[in-house]
Amino acid sequence: MDDGEFVDGATVDAGPVIPRRHRATPPKDAVGRLEWVTQRLVRALQRAVELVASDNGVTVPEYHLLLAISDDVGRSNAEIARLMFVTPQSANRVLADLERRGFVVRTDDPSHGRIRKTVLTPAGRAVLQECTNRIAVIEGRVMASLEPEQRDVILPALLRAAETLAGGYFGNADDERRAEANRRTRQSPA
């Protein structure tokens, strides 16, 4: 695929050829591991998202939060935290900054006095749209590198895998408690 590939009715440029020095061959055991392969993809996408978000005056967590509330249903802080795989306190810090800058608005939930619902403002939607447009081009390069039948299954398969481990749950309550305690220990100030 030298000049791009036809994807969903449009030609998508697969991008420049990567210099050989960036094509180290990982061990066979590594490429056979879901964690290894997804981590490589996540890191590559993360670098791109960092640049796009920065160019639009937001951080990656702020971009992810804007994306998490893009359906305009009015989400609570706890729900946003679950969607972002962070603590409610972390989500609240990001929300407070986005609210201060006019990208989101929080209103009291009439059915529950302590819950505040968050939605995008027009300014927040504009920033999100600019970010998602640029990220879609990067994602298009990834999709163009796949065979058509792979394109049909990659997102549903990754979503299913993510939902299986939603929130980091391993399927074992003792391991989950230990992982949570370990994460809290590592996050504690010294």
Side-chain angles (χ1 to χ4, degrees):
M1 173 180 3
D2 297 327
D3 298 321
E5 183 154 328
F6 198 67
V7 177
D8 293 333
T11 299
V12 176
D13 182 7
V17 174
I18 306 298
R20 183 71 197 149
R21 64 185 172 85
H22 291 295
R23 290 190 180 179
T25 304
K28 184 178 177 183
D29 288 345
V31 296
R33 306 297 313 165
L34 177 64
E35 185 277 332
W36 172 273
V37 173
T38 56
Q39 185 65 11
R40 289 191 70 203
L41 178 60
V42 165
R43 287 183 183 247
L45 287 171
Q46 183 76 12
R47 288 183 63 201
V49 171
E50 285 171 359
L51 181 61
V52 168
S54 177
D55 287 351
N56 285 281
V58 293
T59 64
V60 172
E62 289 171 338
Y63 161 70
H64 285 155
L65 193 147
L66 293 173
L67 190 59
I69 64 170
S70 62
D71 56 5
D72 290 326
V73 298
R75 298 199 183 269
S76 70
N77 184 56
E79 188 177 11
I80 292 167
R82 284 190 296 274
L83 287 171
M84 294 180 59
F85 295 102
V86 299
T87 65
Q89 296 83 356
S90 294
N92 194 52
R93 282 192 292 275
V94 175
L95 271 171
D97 192 49
L98 288 170
E99 185 177 34
R100 181 184 56 75
R101 292 164 49 211
F103 293 140
V104 301
V105 63
R106 295 193 274 184
T107 57
D108 293 335
D109 183 339
S111 65
H112 194 289
R114 292 182 45 196
I115 295 177
R116 299 185 76 203
K117 299 288 189 168
T118 303
V119 295
L120 292 172
T121 64
R125 182 150 313 276
V127 167
L128 176 62
Q129 188 64 52
E130 182 60 32
C131 289
T132 55
N133 287 346
R134 286 185 52 199
I135 292 166
V137 172
I138 296 159
E139 291 171 339
R141 285 184 54 214
V142 173
M143 297 302 267
S145 74
L146 303 174
E147 298 298 324
E149 59 275 1
Q150 292 172 316
R151 284 186 220 124
D152 292 340
V153 298
I154 190 168
L155 286 177
L158 289 172
L159 182 60
R160 177 69 180 260
E163 288 174 348
T164 299
L165 298 177
Y169 185 69
F170 310 120
N172 177 299
D174 290 335
D175 284 348
E176 180 64 21
R177 280 190 290 278
R178 288 186 19 227
E180 183 70 23
N182 185 46
R183 193 181 86 205
R184 284 192 179 119
T185 301
R186 287 184 290 125
Q187 292 176 347
S188 302

